[in-house]
Amino acid sequence: MQPVRIAPSILSADFSKLGDEVRAIDAAGADWIHIDVMDGHFVPNISFGPAVMKSVRGVTTKPFDVHLMISPVDAYLDAFAEAGADCITVHYEAGPHIHRSLQHIKSLGKRAGVVICPGTPAKMLDYLMDMVDLVLVMSVNPGFGGQSFIPSQLKKISAIRTMIEKSGRAIDLEVDGGVDAEWAKRCIEAGADALVAGTSVFRGGPNHYSANIAALRG
């Protein structure tokens, strides 16, 4: 396994000074910048689109880890690639042709990720492991920040870690939702090597970001 990577979700940032917030988490030790895109259709909330993401692309060289909670998704892949995404992650549940979506992301020269919601079993990834660079396990139902971690997802993380090892491929295993210092430890023990965190990173303001990120690393 790779060392754990921390990907703060800017969904929890102060949107009135988003560029400054991205600079602050970069300086505080973030490995990736997690971009949560919500459409008010696939999930019950709306966040932002590629134009907002592009507006902060120039303030950091850290990879943009873009999580598209939108359906249909295929029509928007080019726009997020052009706006500066490094990895584009799409939901297994968001459309009928997940292979087509992943193939398109790869054709754009981007890392391709697949997300599964809490109610989706690990076995749904069986025929995708040869295509993906990242698997994202949602440990809350997507659509809102600040939710509590669903403990049953630890078993799923362990199952997917086994699948990754059997695949022989270098696939990141990321977890998103309710990840605080305690749950971070348990996720890492279960096999996760990348953690998304919003509330627990941005709590307390910029002077606390470095300590918050360090706490997640354990």
Side-chain angles (χ1 to χ4, degrees):
M1 282 178 56
Q2 305 177 65
V4 66
R5 275 71 48 80
I6 306 299
S9 170
I10 64 169
L11 192 64
S12 296
D14 182 343
F15 277 26
S16 72
K17 47 185 178 181
L18 191 55
D20 290 339
E21 290 276 66
V22 172
R23 289 187 186 93
I25 57 174
D26 182 337
D31 298 289
W32 302 340
I33 310 299
H34 191 77
I35 314 288
D36 281 313
V37 180
M38 301 188 290
D39 66 354
H41 170 69
F42 179 66
V43 293
N45 209 341
I46 297 173
S47 58
F48 42 75
V52 172
M53 191 184 97
K54 185 176 182 179
S55 73
V56 294
R57 177 64 278 188
V59 307
T60 179
T61 59
K62 296 290 174 68
F64 271 16
D65 176 33
V66 181
H67 174 195
L68 299 182
M69 290 173 270
I70 62 180
S71 178
V73 69
D74 289 357
Y76 299 95
L77 297 175
D78 289 64
F80 282 98
E82 291 167 5
D86 293 284
C87 180
I88 300 177
T89 305
V90 295
H91 273 263
Y92 177 89
E93 308 88 357
H97 306 298
I98 184 65
H99 276 87
R100 180 178 296 159
S101 301
L102 294 170
Q103 287 167 344
H104 191 84
I105 294 168
K106 299 290 269 188
S107 77
L108 295 169
K110 306 300 180 179
R111 301 179 74 238
V114 63
V115 199
I116 52 175
C117 289
T120 301
K123 66 181 180 181
M124 306 310 284
L125 301 171
D126 278 351
Y127 300 101
L128 300 176
M129 300 302 284
D130 62 333
M131 300 183 67
V132 297
D133 302 297
L134 177 145
V135 174
L136 174 54
V137 175
M138 290 302 300
S139 44
V140 300
N141 287 294
F144 296 95
Q147 299 184 69
S148 297
F149 191 99
I150 299 173
S152 64
Q153 301 310 294
L154 291 173
K155 182 187 294 186
K156 186 188 295 183
I157 295 165
S158 295
I160 296 171
R161 170 50 58 191
T162 298
M163 295 170 70
I164 290 172
E165 297 301 325
K166 287 182 177 178
S167 77
R169 299 186 65 241
I171 301 171
D172 295 313
L173 178 49
E174 188 173 38
V175 181
D176 182 1
V179 178
D180 57 16
E182 181 57 36
W183 283 115
K185 178 182 177 182
R186 297 180 68 178
C187 288
I188 294 166
E189 290 171 349
D193 55 22
L195 303 173
V196 177
T199 304
S200 60
V201 167
F202 286 93
R203 182 181 293 116
N207 290 338
H208 293 83
Y209 294 168
S210 181
N212 293 344
I213 289 172
L216 293 172
R217 294 193 198 280

